[in-house]
Amino acid sequence: MKRFNSSDSSAAFISISSSKEERTQKANQGYSRDFQAMLDNLEEEDYSETASHVSEKKRRLNLHQVKALEKNFEVENKLEPERKLKLAGELGLQPRQVAIWFQNRRARWKTKQLERDYGTLKASYEALKLDYSNLEQKNEVLAQKVKELKAKLMSEEKADSSHSVKEEYRVSESDNNASVHSKIHDFSGNNNNNSSAMTKDPSNISSSHELMNWFQLSDSRVILGSRYQVYQPHLMKPEDQSLFSAEESCNFFSVDQAPTLHCYFPEQ
DNA sequence: TTGTGTTTTATTGCCTCC
DNA sequence: GGAGGCAATAAAACACAA
């Protein structure tokens, strides 16, 4: 096993505070005055000790050692045995110390990396949140527009109620048939410059008739696109013209729930 | 000077690989 | 079963405000 007994630990400490030359070298490496004083103090302490009784206090690696280790870590953050021995020899450290330094360095690197990842994720989350907020605002505007148009439609229906329902139905039917034929013509071919109503942004729809056309057209396109079913003219009687029943709306303007397709493809 | 928070060095225990 | 890696932790060293 890799476990070390106390003599191993002592050996490690001995290697750090080994020679007078080394300590002198430390003293010349530009430490702060306080640190310098501490080193001098340690020097005195060490000399007061006998050779057989070396201080086991933890010592930090000197600047030169740390720089060399950092440089090696940049090259490769894992340490092969040969490199460990070579580094230890060059820096006057125990191989065990070099290994520990790399281990701790990897741990620090990992922590930093986690912080960086967190920062990146946080930034993208904030961007996404902003996008969502913008979409929510647009959605509210659209919903409000639909509400207004629906109210307008209702008032128009009321105004027209003096006409004969029967006559209106006949007119409506012929209108629908005409529009149906034109829709079939529009969507059955490769005519892509068709249907200003379909390509039109619903938020720009300003009249109730435009809105009706938009929805009917949407409906017919889906029917035609779905397994080439025979087109069934969707003749809307005034009493059937509830545009936004719970089912038909399909949560189209719901912020909390994505639009579902079950109402367009009930068999699926 | 001292209390406190942070960083660095080292240990321990567990796990995986060969 | 030994070697090495990692997470958790201890403890010394260090930084800094009050």
Side-chain angles (χ1 to χ4, degrees):
Chain A
M1 281 291 275
K2 61 170 178 178
R3 302 291 162 240
F4 295 84
N5 56 32
S6 59
S7 63
D8 287 325
S9 298
S10 299
F13 288 121
I14 291 166
S15 81
I16 297 172
S17 55
S18 52
S19 66
K20 185 180 179 183
E21 290 83 348
E22 197 175 306
R23 283 193 296 271
T24 308
Q25 185 192 357
K26 276 183 197 172
N28 291 330
Q29 280 173 346
Y31 294 131
S32 68
R33 242 171 300 174
D34 287 349
F35 190 46
Q36 189 73 62
M38 190 191 76
L39 287 175
D40 293 339
N41 208 25
L42 287 171
E43 224 172 333
E44 285 174 20
E45 276 177 23
D46 286 351
Y47 277 105
S48 68
E49 287 165 348
T50 62
S52 61
H53 182 71
V54 181
S55 168
E56 290 191 9
K57 281 204 168 187
K58 208 181 272 186
R59 303 281 165 79
R60 293 207 167 185
L61 307 184
N62 68 39
L63 207 60
H64 168 250
Q65 289 167 328
V66 171
K67 276 186 176 177
L69 290 167
E70 286 285 356
K71 213 168 185 175
N72 272 271
F73 185 83
E74 278 175 27
V75 174
E76 173 66 59
N77 72 349
K78 288 274 174 78
L79 197 60
E80 320 83 68
E82 303 82 46
R83 195 154 67 108
K84 179 169 69 180
L85 290 172
K86 187 166 173 275
L87 257 176
E90 283 172 5
L91 301 174
L93 296 171
Q94 288 293 307
R96 167 75 178 161
Q97 281 182 291
V98 177
I100 288 169
W101 188 91
F102 266 74
Q103 201 158 300
N104 288 324
R105 186 66 182 79
R106 279 194 296 270
R108 288 199 292 273
W109 182 86
K110 193 176 175 183
T111 305
K112 291 278 178 201
Q113 187 59 41
L114 279 173
E115 284 172 8
R116 280 193 289 269
D117 289 349
Y118 172 76
T120 308
L121 281 173
K122 195 178 175 190
S124 53
Y125 166 74
E126 293 298 336
L128 207 59
K129 200 170 141 189
L130 194 65
D131 274 358
Y132 177 78
S133 175
N134 289 337
L135 281 173
E136 209 173 25
Q137 279 181 356
K138 282 183 183 175
N139 196 19
E140 272 174 29
V141 169
L142 282 171
Q144 183 59 34
K145 201 130 204 168
V146 166
K147 203 174 163 185
E148 286 169 13
L149 290 170
K150 195 180 166 188
K152 202 172 174 182
L153 183 67
M154 293 302 181
S155 64
E156 280 178 11
E157 280 170 14
K158 272 188 181 172
D160 290 347
S161 63
S162 57
H163 297 321
S164 155
V165 172
K166 199 176 177 180
E167 188 177 0
E168 188 185 304
Y169 182 72
R170 203 185 313 133
V171 170
S172 167
E173 189 176 13
S174 62
D175 281 353
N176 273 326
N177 281 335
S179 78
V180 160
H181 287 304
S182 70
K183 286 171 203 166
I184 291 173
H185 175 74
D186 286 345
F187 291 106
S188 59
N190 292 327
N191 188 1
N192 287 329
N193 60 350
N194 61 17
S195 153
S196 60
M198 271 313 291
T199 54
K200 189 168 189 166
D201 183 348
S203 63
N204 293 329
I205 293 171
S206 56
S207 76
S208 55
H209 282 111
E210 270 186 288
L211 183 70
M212 287 283 289
N213 282 338
W214 191 84
F215 278 103
Q216 286 181 350
L217 216 44
S218 305
D219 193 32
S220 66
R221 183 175 65 165
V222 170
I223 290 171
L224 284 169
S226 164
R227 300 177 188 177
Y228 306 100
Q229 290 173 354
V230 175
Y231 181 78
Q232 299 292 324
H234 191 108
L235 304 179
M236 296 175 76
K237 294 180 184 179
E239 61 269 28
D240 291 337
Q241 292 179 353
S242 173
L243 291 174
F244 296 103
S245 68
E247 241 184 29
E248 282 180 323
S249 64
C250 296
N251 298 319
F252 205 81
F253 293 100
S254 166
V255 172
D256 298 327
Q257 194 175 343
T260 59
L261 297 175
H262 73 274
C263 49
Y264 291 134
F265 304 102
E267 72 277 15
Q268 286 181 349

